Structure formats: structure tokens, C-alpha cells
Amino acid sequence: MPSSRVLAAAAAGLATATVAVSLPAFTAPGLARPAASALGRQSFVADAIRRAGPAVVTIDTERTVQSAATGGLPRGLLNDPLFRQFFGIPQQGSPSRRTERGQGSGVILQSDGLVLTNAHVVDQIDRVTVGLENGRRYEGRVVGLDKLTDLAVVRLVGAGPWPVAPLGNSDALQVGDWAIAVGNPFGLDNTVTLGIISSLNRNASKLGITDKRLDLIQTDAAINPGNSGGPLLNADGEVVGINTLVRSGPGAGLGFAIPINRARTIVKELVATGRATHPMIGVGLDEIRSGDGRGEGRGAVVVSVQPGGPADRGGLMAGDVIVAAEGAAVQDPSQVITAVERAGVGGILNLTVNRRGSVVNLRLTPGDMALMRQG
């Protein structure tokens, strides 16, 4: 039974009043606490890490950088044979070498040792060493990388089977869902941070990243240098994203991850051919500026068309305003890019454009970006 304390209050000339206040029963040290107090002690984060943690790896990279010794003189002068002869400089300076080291994270996707990470972690490196949660380290070989989506595949060299992280469905994410980031920030192995999904479909170009084609997951789970390539998990311990970058500013940093559904497609191509294909229609797009006289202020303005490209062949013209793609209204250029990606190389893309006040329907066939650039 709860104990009670009687509080008495009296004032001169007034009757005495009593108030009964119930307090929790006191539990002496060493005695068992009520079972209800144990509820909530087990963290869902701990369960998620037990499920996916063994498949999260650290990635250490090395590359040798070689440069000719110049002695502080301009390189152009050193290439001049008359200058060398006059000052008695040997015809070939002794080259200097240095080893650059880097760190990142990754996650094992298949029991045969297929590791997914960021392209910028393993780009132009000579050696990859992969460290597992149990402390063992193995050589890794880069299977392929795609700079446009910042994804890469590394294969572990050694006898498996290897621990595998379960993959989730990034299309099912909602703002407010739990987000768990795992990785190797600042060289601190197996670091876990918790947050939520802050936003979805953040276009990379709107973050000032113009050399990537990505719609990113935004999270407030702490992501720092070294987390790159590590997994973003949901509450069930499933990989829903690959951590790729952080944008810091006053107050707090913002983390971003590549959706795992996007990564699955890239991984299949990298494993099969060592490269990824990217559809392209050959246009330059811009947002509609307020007050420019282009209608309702929504859509994507075509500012340039590549001669002979898919857009040119399909009848798209500079000055057109794309207002719909596959029947869905277009608000900005990023939605056109997404529609092109979904159509794929050799697929069909239906566009609706506003051409000087007239509605025109066009049918385009996206081409391969790499081949179009070569052409």
C-alpha cells in the first residue's frame, strides 16, 4: 500500500486544514523492483545493430602519388633543355613519392563477399583493406564504381561465407521514421548514431552538388567523415540507405544517404559490366523564375537542346516549358531528371510541354549518357 504524509496548515484565527498526499512505496536496496519498471529497458537500436552490425565494415585505402622534384623552380623552366644545360641541372629530376591514406565504411550485401560503399571512398586507389567487426582484416578488390551516383562495389578476397546485412525498402520510408547510422567516423570503428528521417527525395543539385544525379534521404542522425559508404538502417535493422555526405552549418549538421532501392540497380550493373548506364535526353533545364511571363510558375524551362540527341529527335525545342512527365505534373527540373531515370536507356518518356501558349505532347527515347558524351 502507498504510504501517506499528512500536511497541516494553520493560520491565526483560522481552522486547521489537513491534506492527504499519496507517494510511491519505498523499495529498500537489494529488494526486487516491480516488474513494470523493467519495461522499455531493451533498446530497439540494440536489436537492429545485432542484426546488421556484423556486416558493417571499415574500409582503409592507400594510393601512391608521384611527382617530379622541382626544387621550387617553375615546372616550365625545368622542361626547357637549354635552361637545364646552362645551370647544370640533370635532365631528369628525382621523382618524389608519397602514400595517401583514406578511410570510409561499407556494408556486406552478399555472402560471397560483395561490399557496397561510396565511389569517392575507393576512387583512384591502389589498395583496399576491409576490416570486419570481429577485428579481422582482408584485402578488397574494386569491382566497379559509378561517380554519378557515388556508389562502388568491392569484393572481399578470402574464404566466406561472410555476414550479410538485410536490405529494406527505401520507397516505404516516411518522414519521422527512425534512422540509425553505422560506420567509422574519424576512424572510430562501429560507431552508432540515432535520429529520424528528416526528409525524402532531396535533389543533389539543390544541395550545390552538380556532378551527381541523386535524390537523397535526409536524416538528423549524426554522419561525419568516415561514415561515407556505411549503412543507414531502419528500426528493424534493415539497410535503407548508404550514407554519403554531411552538410554542416550553424547549430547542427545535416546527413544524407543514397536510397538502397537506387543502389540495388547500380550494384547489379557494376557487378555485371563494371559500369552503370545513365539515361539522358540531351537538354539543359532551368527553373521558372517568378515574373518571367511563363504561365503559372511551374515546370522546367528548356534552355538548350543537344543537336541530334534524343530530345532533338523527339521534337523538344529551346524555350519549351515541360509541365508534365508521364502524366505527372512537373514543378521543377529535378522531376524531369527523375522521369528520365525511370524511363531508362531505350525506354519511352512521354512529355507535355507548353510551347508559347500551346500544349504539345512529345514522345522521347532516352540514350546512354556515356555514349552520347563520346559522340
Side-chain angles (χ1 to χ4, degrees), residues 353-366:
V353 304
N354 180 341
R355 180 174 294 167
R356 295 184 295 276
S358 299
V359 176
V360 180
N361 294 311
L362 302 175
R363 186 180 178 92
L364 280 61
T365 301

Side-chain angles (χ1 to χ4, degrees), residues 43-53 56 107 173 176-183 190-198 217-223 227 230-243 257:
S43 167
F44 71 91
V45 179
D47 288 338
I49 297 304
R50 272 192 291 270
R51 189 177 184 195
V56 180
V107 60
L173 289 175
D177 284 350
W178 290 112
I180 306 167
V182 191
N190 306 315
T191 295
V192 178
T193 57
L194 175 66
I196 62 169
I197 302 296
S198 304
I217 301 166
Q218 180 182 326
T219 178
D220 66 348
I223 296 176
N227 270 116
L232 187 71
L233 309 177
N234 62 15
D236 295 322
E238 298 170 330
V239 180
V240 292
I242 299 299
N243 301 321

Side-chain angles (χ1 to χ4, degrees), residues 215-299:
D215 287 322
L216 299 165
I217 301 166
Q218 180 182 326
T219 178
D220 66 348
I223 296 176
N224 292 290
N227 270 116
S228 293
L232 187 71
L233 309 177
N234 62 15
D236 295 322
E238 298 170 330
V239 180
V240 292
I242 299 299
N243 301 321
T244 188
L245 59 92
V246 60
R247 280 290 181 267
S248 298
L254 300 176
F256 297 90
I258 304 165
I260 194 62
N261 288 9
R262 178 80 168 112
R264 289 176 195 254
T265 303
I266 301 299
V267 167
K268 289 179 181 179
E269 292 188 86
L270 292 178
V271 171
T273 65
R275 60 179 292 268
T277 58
H278 294 285
M280 183 178 182
I281 59 174
V283 294
L285 301 174
D286 196 3
E287 296 180 353
I288 292 181
R289 310 297 177 184
S290 60
D292 66 356
R294 295 181 183 272
E296 301 176 0
R298 67 176 178 84

Side-chain angles (χ1 to χ4, degrees), residues 9 14 21 29 32 34 39 47 57 67 83 89 92-93 97 105 109 112 124 165 168 176 182 201 212 262 295 356 374:
L14 298 178
V21 180
L39 296 178
D47 288 338
V57 300
S67 59
F83 179 86
I89 300 174
Q92 185 170 358
R97 291 187 179 185
S105 305
L109 300 181
D112 61 353
Q124 297 182 344
V182 191
N201 303 315
K212 299 287 183 284
R262 178 80 168 112
R356 295 184 295 276
Q374 291 175 3

